[in-house]
Amino acid sequence: MPEEPLTVQHLSESELLARIFPRLHHSPGVLLGPGDDAALIAAPDGRALISIDTQTQDQDFRLEWRNGYRTTGFDVGWKAAAQNLSDINAMGGSATSLVVSLTMPPETAVEWVEAFADGLTAAIVGLGASDCSVAGGDLGRGRELAVTVAVVGTLAGVAPVLRSGAKAGDVVAVSGTLGRAAAGWALLESDIQFDNLSSELRSLVVNQCRPMPPLAAGPLAARTGATAMMDISDGLLRDGSRLAGASNVILDFDPVALKTYAASLEPAAAVLGREAMRWVLGGGEDHGLLATFPAGIQLPQGFTAIGSVQAVVEPPGSGVRIAGQTADTVGWDHFAD
Amino acid sequence: MPEEPLTVQHLSESELLARIFPRLHHSPGVLLGPGDDAALIAAPDGRALISIDTQTQDQDFRLEWRNGYRTTGFDVGWKAAAQNLSDINAMGGSATSLVVSLTMPPETAVEWVEAFADGLTAAIVGLGASDCSVAGGDLGRGRELAVTVAVVGTLAGVAPVLRSGAKAGDVVAVSGTLGRAAAGWALLESDIQFDNLSSELRSLVVNQCRPMPPLAAGPLAARTGATAMMDISDGLLRDGSRLAGASNVILDFDPVALKTYAASLEPAAAVLGREAMRWVLGGGEDHGLLATFPAGIQLPQGFTAIGSVQAVVEPPGSGVRIAGQTADTVGWDHFAD
C-alpha cells in the first residue's frame, strides 16, 4: 500500500515554516527577516515601491488542466513571484523583498508547499532579482488555494516611470515576449494531451505557468528616459489602451513589427486552429513591458519598436490603433473564452 | 418585488474601483497612489517595516454567526486594517500605507464592498493611524471571501523592538484589552441571539469584530526603552511563550493583576457558564501589546505591569508561569472549540 502523503494538517505552523525557511533565498536588503511581527527592509533612497497581487485556484490557475497538465507548487510559487516582480519592473524599479500569504486546504501535501517555496526562490534567482528575498509571510487555511504576494522595491534614486507620460512623437516599444503565455493557456485548455506536445509547444505552456518578465529592462528604461511604461499583464491592446488613456494619446502599432511575434506562435495556432495574431494582441501574462521613448534616442537593450505615439485629434479620443485603424481592446478575459 | 441588490459581477473592475477610491483616506506619505503598476511611498529613515495577513471567510470570520450576528463589510475592512496596523505597532513603528487584496464571489453585493472600504478608512482614522492610507490593491474572484492586507510602516529612526530582547529582572506589561475579543467570539458562537444581548455584552462582540489595537503604545514603548514586544493575537499564554522562547527567559504573570482583566468579563462568563480567566489567558485578537521593560523605569502611558521576567534556571527551560506555576500555553485555536 502506498504511504499517505504528509499533508499540512499534520504539521503545526512552526513545523511547516521550518520546512519552508531553508528553501528561501536571502538578500542583505532584508534587515530583519521572519520571526517578529513585521520584517524590516532597507529603503535606501527613502522611498519604496509597493504592489500586491493574488492568484486563486480555478480563477488564475487550475490544479489540473484539460490537457492533463497538473500545476505544480513550483509553478504557483514561480508565477506569484514573477508577476509581482514585474509590477516593480514596470515602474523602473528593482524588487527588494516579498511578503507571501499562502492559504490552503488542510489536505494540501507538504511536498506541494515545499515546491511552492522552491518556485519562489527559483523565480527570484532565475529572473535576476537576487537582491530580493522573502521577508515574511502568513500561512492560513481556506477551501481553495490562494496566494497573495506583496512586493516592495527600490527606484535607486530615479523617478518612477508612470503610465501617464507618453507624448505625441514618442516611439512605442516592448520588451519580453508577446502572446506566448496566451498560446500556452490555449494549449492547456485544449484536448491535445500535454505529454503529446512537441517541446516547442510545451515551452509555450511553460511560459504560461512560469512567466519570464524581463527584469533588467525596467530600470534600464527608466535610466534611458522612458516617458511611460507598464507591465503587459492583460494583453497589448487592453494594456495599451490604459496607457493611452492615462497619457491622453493614441498608440499606433505597426502590424509588420507585430507579425514577428506572431510568427513564432504559428505552430501552436496551426495545431489549435487559432489565429496567432490574436494571442499577440490580446494575450496577457507574459509580463513583458510596454514603454514609450522620445523619438531619436537609441532604444535600451531588450526593447523593440512596435509603433508610435500620436496626438488625439478627434473623437473617440485616446486609444490604440493598428496602422491607423481602430483596434478593439480585446483582452485576456474575453480571449480566454 | 424588492429590487435585486447590485453585485460585483455587474460592474467592471474600474467601475468597482471608482466606488471604492472616494471612500479611502489619503495621507501625504503615499507619493504615488493607485493607478500605476505599483504605488510609491515615503520611507523617511531609509527603512520600512512590512507585514502581511490574510482573513478568510469561515476561518477567520463567519458571514453569519450562530447568535444571528451578520458580519458586515465594515467589520471585515476594520479588522483587516486593525490587525495589520497592530503588527507595525508591535515593532514600535507607525504604519504609513496598506495595500489590500480583496477576493470575492461574483454574487458579493457592491454595498458590501463599499462598506468594506469604509471599514478600512474608519479603522485607520479611528485608531489614530491617520498618517497611513491605502496605497494600492487588487480585486479578484474566488469561491470564498478573502482579504489580504500588507502593511508598511516606519520606525522614525528608532530601533525595532524584537521578541528576543527580554532580560531577567524586566517588568512584563501589557497595553490594550485582554480576553474581550475571545468573550465576543464565545457570544457570537452561542445560542443567545445578538439582538437580546445587553449593550455591555454587545460591546464584547464589537471587540471581536472591530479590534482596537492601542496604536500610540507601540512607538511610545520603543522610545521608552522596551526590551521586547509583540502583538497579542493568539492569546497571552501562547504569545507570551513565544516571546519567552525568543528571549530564552521565563515570563511569570501575577494572577492578581490578571484578575482585573477577568473582572470585566464576568457578566459574559456568567451568561455563558464559562470562566473569564480563560479568556484573559487564552484569548487572542484583542491585538493588545505584550512588552518587557527594564525594572525601575516608569512604564509608558497605556501599559500595566502584569508580571516579571525571570532567568531560566532548570528544565523545561523558557516559558510562561503564573505565580511561579507552569501554565499550559492554551491559545485561541484550542480555546475556540
Side-chain angles (χ1 to χ4, degrees), chain A residues 230-278:
Chain A
M230 71 183 294
D231 165 36
I232 307 170
S233 54
D234 292 341
L236 183 62
L237 293 188
R238 178 171 288 201
D239 288 324
S241 73
R242 288 173 179 152
L243 191 148
S247 296
N248 194 30
V249 295
I250 288 164
L251 301 191
D252 193 26
F253 297 124
D254 170 10
V256 176
L258 295 179
K259 273 183 190 151
T260 313
Y261 293 93
S264 74
L265 304 175
E266 288 302 349
V271 161
L272 296 173
R274 302 284 280 273
E275 206 184 323
M277 186 56 90
R278 283 179 59 86

XYZ file of all heavy atoms in Angstrom, chain A residues 230-278:
357
model
N 4.442 50.344 -18.604
C 3.606 49.466 -17.803
C 3.886 48.022 -18.170
O 4.502 47.717 -19.193
C 2.111 49.794 -17.953
C 1.520 49.430 -19.286
S -0.232 49.909 -19.437
C -1.000 48.846 -18.223
N 3.412 47.159 -17.310
C 3.510 45.717 -17.437
C 2.373 45.243 -18.357
O 1.241 45.693 -18.197
C 3.329 45.204 -15.997
C 3.045 43.748 -15.856
O 3.585 42.944 -16.622
O 2.267 43.424 -14.937
N 2.668 44.384 -19.302
C 1.593 43.843 -20.156
C 1.080 42.570 -19.498
O 1.628 41.488 -19.676
C 2.092 43.534 -21.579
C 2.770 44.764 -22.187
C 0.915 43.082 -22.462
C 3.494 44.483 -23.495
N 0.034 42.718 -18.677
C -0.499 41.540 -17.988
C -1.862 41.140 -18.526
O -2.282 40.002 -18.344
C -0.570 41.786 -16.480
O -1.290 42.952 -16.204
N -2.554 42.056 -19.171
C -3.894 41.748 -19.684
C -3.964 41.805 -21.207
O -5.048 41.699 -21.773
C -4.927 42.727 -19.096
C -5.130 42.531 -17.598
O -4.777 41.460 -17.083
O -5.645 43.450 -16.952
N -2.841 41.956 -21.869
C -2.823 41.978 -23.327
C -2.389 43.339 -23.865
O -2.676 44.375 -23.274
N -1.725 43.306 -25.002
C -1.156 44.523 -25.592
C -2.217 45.575 -25.886
O -2.028 46.756 -25.602
C -0.415 44.148 -26.888
C 0.300 45.277 -27.615
C 1.396 45.872 -26.733
C 0.892 44.775 -28.938
N -3.351 45.155 -26.433
C -4.364 46.150 -26.785
C -5.021 46.735 -25.548
O -5.199 47.941 -25.433
C -5.435 45.530 -27.699
C -4.967 45.112 -29.088
C -6.170 44.715 -29.941
C -4.192 46.235 -29.783
N -5.387 45.860 -24.613
C -6.067 46.353 -23.422
C -5.129 47.217 -22.568
O -5.477 48.312 -22.147
C -6.593 45.168 -22.610
C -7.266 45.597 -21.328
C -7.973 44.454 -20.653
N -9.170 44.087 -21.391
C -10.199 43.425 -20.869
N -10.154 43.042 -19.606
N -11.254 43.132 -21.588
N -3.922 46.704 -22.340
C -2.985 47.491 -21.533
C -2.537 48.743 -22.288
O -2.366 49.807 -21.701
C -1.792 46.622 -21.126
C -2.181 45.589 -20.056
O -3.009 45.924 -19.197
O -1.659 44.464 -20.098
N -2.383 48.595 -23.621
C -2.023 49.764 -24.434
C -3.083 50.852 -24.333
O -2.768 52.044 -24.247
N -4.362 50.441 -24.309
C -5.411 51.459 -24.228
C -5.413 52.123 -22.856
O -5.785 53.296 -22.721
C -6.778 50.865 -24.572
O -7.230 50.059 -23.523
N -4.979 51.390 -21.826
C -4.859 52.012 -20.494
C -3.755 53.064 -20.480
O -3.928 54.154 -19.952
C -4.556 50.937 -19.443
C -5.752 50.045 -19.164
C -5.356 48.894 -18.243
N -6.525 48.057 -17.976
C -6.488 46.770 -17.687
N -5.324 46.133 -17.609
N -7.590 46.093 -17.475
N -2.610 52.696 -21.057
C -1.502 53.650 -21.116
C -1.900 54.856 -21.968
O -1.647 56.010 -21.589
C -0.249 52.954 -21.665
C 1.064 53.746 -21.550
C 2.260 52.804 -21.366
C 1.301 54.621 -22.772
N -2.560 54.574 -23.087
C -3.006 55.675 -23.969
C -3.971 56.586 -23.222
O -3.886 57.821 -23.326
C -3.658 55.091 -25.222
N -4.886 55.984 -22.468
C -5.857 56.779 -21.721
C -5.191 57.624 -20.648
O -5.511 58.807 -20.480
N -4.254 57.014 -19.906
C -3.573 57.753 -18.838
C -2.758 58.905 -19.401
O -2.600 59.947 -18.764
C -2.675 56.809 -18.024
N -2.228 58.725 -20.632
C -1.387 59.758 -21.253
C -2.185 60.670 -22.184
O -1.642 61.642 -22.719
C -0.265 59.101 -22.072
O 0.617 58.371 -21.243
N -3.437 60.320 -22.417
C -4.296 61.026 -23.385
C -3.647 61.140 -24.769
O -3.482 62.229 -25.319
C -4.692 62.411 -22.854
C -5.832 63.011 -23.670
O -6.666 62.277 -24.214
N -5.861 64.330 -23.786
N -3.278 59.994 -25.278
C -2.650 59.914 -26.607
C -3.214 58.708 -27.349
O -4.043 57.960 -26.806
C -1.110 59.730 -26.509
C -0.440 60.952 -25.888
C -0.764 58.458 -25.746
N -2.758 58.548 -28.572
C -3.064 57.340 -29.350
C -1.772 56.548 -29.527
O -0.727 57.124 -29.859
C -3.653 57.721 -30.723
C -5.080 58.256 -30.526
C -3.651 56.521 -31.678
C -5.620 58.996 -31.715
N -1.836 55.245 -29.250
C -0.712 54.364 -29.570
C -1.040 53.693 -30.898
O -2.048 53.002 -31.008
C -0.521 53.287 -28.497
C -0.245 53.720 -27.064
C 0.178 52.501 -26.222
C 0.813 54.810 -26.980
N -0.201 53.908 -31.870
C -0.428 53.302 -33.185
C 0.600 52.203 -33.405
O 1.803 52.478 -33.495
C -0.327 54.378 -34.277
C -0.863 53.861 -35.614
O -1.718 52.945 -35.608
O -0.409 54.366 -36.659
N 0.113 50.953 -33.448
C 1.022 49.813 -33.578
C 1.273 49.497 -35.047
O 0.376 49.632 -35.889
C 0.432 48.578 -32.887
C 0.254 48.735 -31.403
C -0.991 48.539 -30.812
C 1.321 49.096 -30.591
C -1.165 48.681 -29.440
C 1.159 49.249 -29.216
C -0.084 49.043 -28.645
N 2.479 49.039 -35.303
C 2.909 48.683 -36.663
C 2.681 47.185 -36.876
O 3.338 46.368 -36.231
C 4.398 49.045 -36.789
C 5.016 48.514 -38.068
O 4.270 48.023 -38.951
O 6.264 48.591 -38.173
N 1.765 46.812 -37.778
C 1.449 45.382 -37.941
C 2.650 44.552 -38.401
O 2.733 43.360 -38.081
C 0.328 45.374 -38.984
C 0.349 46.707 -39.617
C 0.953 47.664 -38.645
N 3.557 45.170 -39.119
C 4.733 44.420 -39.583
C 5.591 43.995 -38.380
O 6.036 42.847 -38.278
C 5.570 45.264 -40.583
C 6.828 44.514 -40.988
C 4.719 45.623 -41.799
N 5.773 44.931 -37.444
C 6.553 44.604 -36.249
C 5.866 43.516 -35.439
O 6.521 42.616 -34.889
C 6.755 45.858 -35.399
N 4.544 43.594 -35.356
C 3.825 42.617 -34.537
C 3.843 41.231 -35.161
O 3.775 40.220 -34.456
C 2.384 43.075 -34.302
C 2.246 44.364 -33.476
C 0.779 44.751 -33.329
C 2.898 44.210 -32.097
N 3.933 41.187 -36.511
C 3.935 39.882 -37.193
C 5.114 39.012 -36.776
O 5.024 37.783 -36.797
C 3.909 40.075 -38.714
C 2.483 40.194 -39.225
C 2.410 40.319 -40.735
C 0.973 40.672 -41.129
N 0.906 41.448 -42.364
N 6.219 39.659 -36.437
C 7.388 38.901 -35.975
C 7.033 38.076 -34.728
O 7.465 36.931 -34.581
C 8.524 39.879 -35.597
O 8.649 40.829 -36.645
C 9.834 39.159 -35.387
N 6.258 38.709 -33.830
C 5.863 37.988 -32.615
C 4.893 36.855 -32.940
O 4.946 35.779 -32.343
C 5.225 38.951 -31.594
C 6.217 39.955 -31.050
C 6.373 41.202 -31.638
C 7.019 39.631 -29.960
C 7.307 42.112 -31.140
C 7.952 40.530 -29.458
C 8.090 41.768 -30.060
O 9.022 42.652 -29.566
N 4.003 37.134 -33.909
C 3.016 36.110 -34.277
C 3.680 34.907 -34.939
O 3.246 33.759 -34.756
C 1.959 36.712 -35.197
N 4.748 35.168 -35.681
C 5.373 34.094 -36.473
C 5.769 32.909 -35.585
O 5.536 31.751 -35.949
C 6.598 34.641 -37.213
N 6.321 33.223 -34.408
C 6.808 32.131 -33.563
C 5.656 31.340 -32.943
O 5.867 30.276 -32.357
C 7.719 32.687 -32.461
O 6.945 33.344 -31.483
N 4.443 31.885 -33.044
C 3.290 31.199 -32.462
C 2.519 30.395 -33.497
O 1.529 29.732 -33.170
C 2.346 32.222 -31.800
C 2.998 33.103 -30.735
C 2.011 34.148 -30.249
C 3.514 32.265 -29.578
N 2.958 30.446 -34.784
C 2.210 29.797 -35.855
C 2.051 28.287 -35.645
O 0.974 27.744 -35.899
C 2.838 30.095 -37.227
C 2.632 31.532 -37.707
C 1.169 31.979 -37.831
O 0.270 31.112 -37.755
O 0.940 33.190 -37.957
N 3.090 27.591 -35.178
C 2.911 26.142 -34.973
C 1.763 25.832 -33.997
O 0.951 24.937 -34.256
C 4.259 25.699 -34.393
C 5.242 26.712 -34.899
C 4.484 28.007 -34.942
N 1.677 26.596 -32.913
C 0.591 26.363 -31.957
C -0.748 26.745 -32.577
O -1.757 26.045 -32.398
C 0.837 27.166 -30.681
N -0.761 27.868 -33.295
C -2.005 28.307 -33.935
C -2.503 27.261 -34.924
O -3.708 26.981 -35.001
C -1.778 29.652 -34.634
N -1.566 26.652 -35.662
C -1.943 25.638 -36.657
C -2.552 24.410 -35.978
O -3.587 23.894 -36.396
C -0.717 25.239 -37.485
N -1.909 23.979 -34.903
C -2.386 22.794 -34.181
C -3.780 23.027 -33.596
O -4.624 22.129 -33.577
C -1.371 22.446 -33.062
C -1.998 21.541 -32.006
C -0.136 21.794 -33.649
N -4.026 24.233 -33.125
C -5.293 24.521 -32.431
C -6.343 25.152 -33.341
O -7.477 25.375 -32.911
C -5.034 25.455 -31.240
C -4.152 24.897 -30.122
C -3.841 25.979 -29.092
C -4.834 23.711 -29.435
N -5.952 25.474 -34.585
C -6.903 26.159 -35.468
C -7.226 27.559 -34.982
O -8.365 28.015 -35.049
N -6.225 28.238 -34.468
C -6.428 29.591 -33.950
C -5.579 30.571 -34.737
O -4.747 30.188 -35.570
C -6.045 29.652 -32.468
C -6.808 28.685 -31.588
C -8.222 29.154 -31.311
N -8.235 30.152 -30.254
C -8.299 29.865 -28.952
N -8.367 28.606 -28.557
N -8.315 30.827 -28.067
N -5.769 31.871 -34.421
C -5.051 32.915 -35.138
C -3.952 33.466 -34.226
O -4.251 34.021 -33.159
C -6.064 34.030 -35.455
C -5.733 34.862 -36.650
C -6.778 35.980 -36.776
O -7.974 35.730 -36.496
O -6.371 37.103 -37.118
N -2.710 33.321 -34.627
C -1.592 33.701 -33.759
C -1.633 35.183 -33.385
O -1.296 35.567 -32.251
C -0.265 33.359 -34.434
N -2.048 36.034 -34.326
C -2.024 37.479 -34.052
C -2.967 37.857 -32.908
O -2.723 38.825 -32.189
C -2.383 38.257 -35.319
C -2.249 39.757 -35.185
S -0.584 40.311 -34.640
C 0.203 40.515 -36.231
N -4.034 37.072 -32.743
C -4.936 37.376 -31.618
C -4.241 37.160 -30.271
O -4.520 37.869 -29.302
C -6.207 36.528 -31.702
C -7.196 37.058 -32.746
C -8.453 36.191 -32.824
N -9.160 36.107 -31.552
C -10.070 36.980 -31.129
N -10.390 38.024 -31.863
N -10.674 36.809 -29.970
